[in-house]
Every structure is written in C-alpha cells, then in structure tokens.
Amino acid sequence: MTHFSNFAGDNLAQIMFEELITFVQRWPQIKLVYRSQLQLADIYFKTFPGDIIPLWNLPCNSLLNSRHADIYSGDIACQRTPRILLVGPQKTGSTALLSFLVNLPEFSTSYKDPDSFEEIQFFSNSSGCLFGIDWYQSRFPLPTNTILIEKSATYFDHKMCPQRIHTLLPNSHIVIILRDPVERVYSWFQHQRVHRNILAQNYSFIDILQNNFMNKLTR
Ligand SMILES: Nc1ncnc2c1ncn2[C@@H]1O[C@H](COP(=O)(O)OS(=O)(=O)O)[C@@H](OP(=O)(O)O)[C@H]1O
C-alpha cells in the first residue's frame, strides 16, 4: 500500500493506515516489530516472487481519471511509446517490413540498441523490464507527428508478452507476419548457424529434424 503512488490525492493510503491502527489497538496481543524498507522488500518478494518483475503501466492509460495524466511527470511524454508493434515471429521478414515502413515519412522507430543488435526486446526480457519504463521510452525519439513502431520478433512466443504489452500499451496495434513454416524453420536454422549454435554447426538441417533437435535450437 505504502509504495502505491497516491494518485490524485485520493486519501486511500491515509484511510488504510487509520483503519490498520484502529485494528491493531483493539488486539493488544499483536506484537509489533520494526523492519527497514529493504527488509520489508525482502520479505515481500520472497512471499510474492511473481512481483519481482514489474508490470509497467502509464497513468495516462487510465480512462477513468484524467487527473492521473495531469500529475504525471512532465519529463516523460506518454506519447513516447510505440503505437505499432511488429512482434514477429522471427525469420518472417519483419526487418524488411520495418525498413519499408520507416522509409515513409509517417513512421519512425526505436534507436538501435547496442546490446541486442537492432531490437529492444523490452517485454520479452525480464532484465530489460527491470531497466524500467523511463529506459524503454528513452529508446524512442521524442514525440512528433510520426507514428512510432517497435519491432522485436521475440515478443511473438514469450508467455509474458501479451500481459506486459496490454498493460503498458493497451491501444497499440499488433502486427504478426505469417510465413510458410518450413521456409521459416529453415531460415531459423541458418540464423542459428550464423550465430554459432553448436547443434546447427555440427548437424545438417535434415539431421536436426530427424533427431528432433529443433526445440533445442530455440532460445
Ligand atoms: N520482402 C520479403 N518477403 C519475404 N521474405 C523476406 C522479405 N524480406 C526479407 N525476407 C526474409 O525474411 C527472413 C528474415 O526475417 P526477419 O527479418 O524477421 O528475421 S529476424 O527474426 O529479425 O532475424 C529472411 O529469410 P531467409 O532468407 O529465408 O533466411 C529474409 O530473406
């Protein structure tokens, strides 16, 4: 409760604490102990390990209360987020589609990420999520009249992506490209060879298929 931002001065935290103190006063056998913030965090995340990776949201996403947007930091524009997500899957021509689109004046995309080649992969990378929303937004140019696109082909099959994307970018458009699965899987095999995957280097494509190694080529 205490780490929730008290959006729009709604007194919720204050009421909560008053009720809590009243409750404790009525039960004197309850032993009160002091724990520092770090100790509390430790207890909390041991109890709720699923909360370690934050689920990012933007106050401006709230349609219920426009005051949330009004009190949000002016340093970060809510519009500095993509409206279109090219989520892959990998080896379907997503790089080509992105380059076609950003050649048009209506679109722009994220800055190149030196750590992950050309993709941000924010939603499919738990440590990426820990960088935070400020980091994610800083990967995009400041809002202009262009429509922002992010392409991360790893979003397609990551189990947390739908929830993470829906929470942060509920109004975004998701683009999925389909390709003949056999051609795609061969392209993926070649991709893994280039990236020096040991199986892909030591076995032929046919061997990989016959020995059911394909799932070992995926990350
Ligand atoms: N216009 C168009 N139409 C159809 N296919 C195309 C097109 N442009 C690129 N490609 C082929 O797409 C493959 C690369 O896909 P991705 O860019 O999505 O790869 S990645 O996941 O981002 O690494 C890669 O496939 P392979 O050549 O079979 O490996 C590209 O040749």
Side-chain angles (χ1 to χ4, degrees):
M1 195 66 216
T2 55
H3 65 273
F4 280 176
S5 301
N6 194 7
F7 285 141
D10 55 16
N11 293 333
L12 195 56
Q14 188 184 336
I15 292 168
M16 178 77 182
F17 278 112
E18 283 172 3
E19 293 296 316
L20 180 65
I21 288 165
T22 307
F23 176 83
V24 170
Q25 282 171 339
R26 286 183 186 152
W27 295 90
Q29 72 273 32
I30 292 178
K31 187 181 165 201
L32 297 178
V33 290
Y34 172 80
R35 293 284 181 267
S36 70
Q37 288 175 323
L38 281 179
Q39 288 171 323
L40 280 176
D42 200 39
I43 294 166
Y44 180 86
F45 288 122
K46 276 189 182 138
T47 312
F48 303 105
D51 285 358
I52 290 174
I53 307 300
L55 194 57
W56 295 106
N57 196 349
L58 280 173
C60 28
N61 288 340
S62 170
L63 298 176
L64 296 175
N65 195 335
S66 62
R67 288 179 300 168
H68 292 180
D70 294 341
I71 62 172
Y72 193 53
S73 164
D75 298 338
I76 301 167
C78 290
Q79 293 76 17
R80 200 177 183 184
T81 48
R83 276 181 51 199
I84 298 177
L85 291 174
L86 302 184
V87 300
Q90 289 169 313
K91 315 318 292 178
T92 54
S94 55
T95 310
L97 177 61
L98 179 69
S99 65
F100 298 153
L101 288 174
V102 295
N103 270 325
L104 300 170
E106 289 89 349
F107 299 99
S108 42
T109 189
S110 51
Y111 302 125
K112 301 271 185 217
D113 191 316
D115 295 328
S116 62
F117 305 101
E118 84 267 32
E119 296 186 344
I120 297 181
Q121 301 182 353
F122 178 70
F123 297 105
S124 58
N125 181 343
S126 296
S127 54
C129 285
L130 290 175
F131 290 158
I133 189 169
D134 292 358
W135 177 88
Y136 180 61
Q137 292 193 293
S138 74
R139 304 306 308 159
F140 293 91
L142 285 166
T144 59
N145 290 332
T146 58
I147 295 169
L148 291 177
I149 308 174
E150 188 206 337
K151 175 242 172 192
S152 287
T154 51
Y155 291 168
F156 179 79
D157 59 348
H158 190 283
K159 67 177 180 183
M160 290 306 296
C161 280
Q163 186 189 21
R164 288 174 182 168
I165 292 171
H166 178 71
T167 306
L168 185 64
L169 307 171
N171 300 315
S172 58
H173 298 268
I174 310 289
V175 177
I176 295 171
I177 310 172
L178 302 181
R179 183 181 182 188
D180 182 314
V182 176
E183 288 179 17
R184 196 188 82 81
V185 90
Y186 186 68
S187 175
W188 179 243
F189 169 74
Q190 297 292 358
H191 176 105
Q192 292 291 47
R193 280 174 73 98
V194 169
H195 286 82
R196 301 189 181 283
N197 177 286
I198 291 175
L199 278 178
Q201 286 191 318
N202 291 336
Y203 291 89
S204 72
F205 183 57
I206 298 296
D207 287 340
I208 296 269
L209 292 181
Q210 286 178 341
N211 291 290
N212 207 16
F213 286 159
M214 209 61 217
N215 60 345
K216 293 195 171 70
L217 286 186
T218 56
R219 354 179 190 185

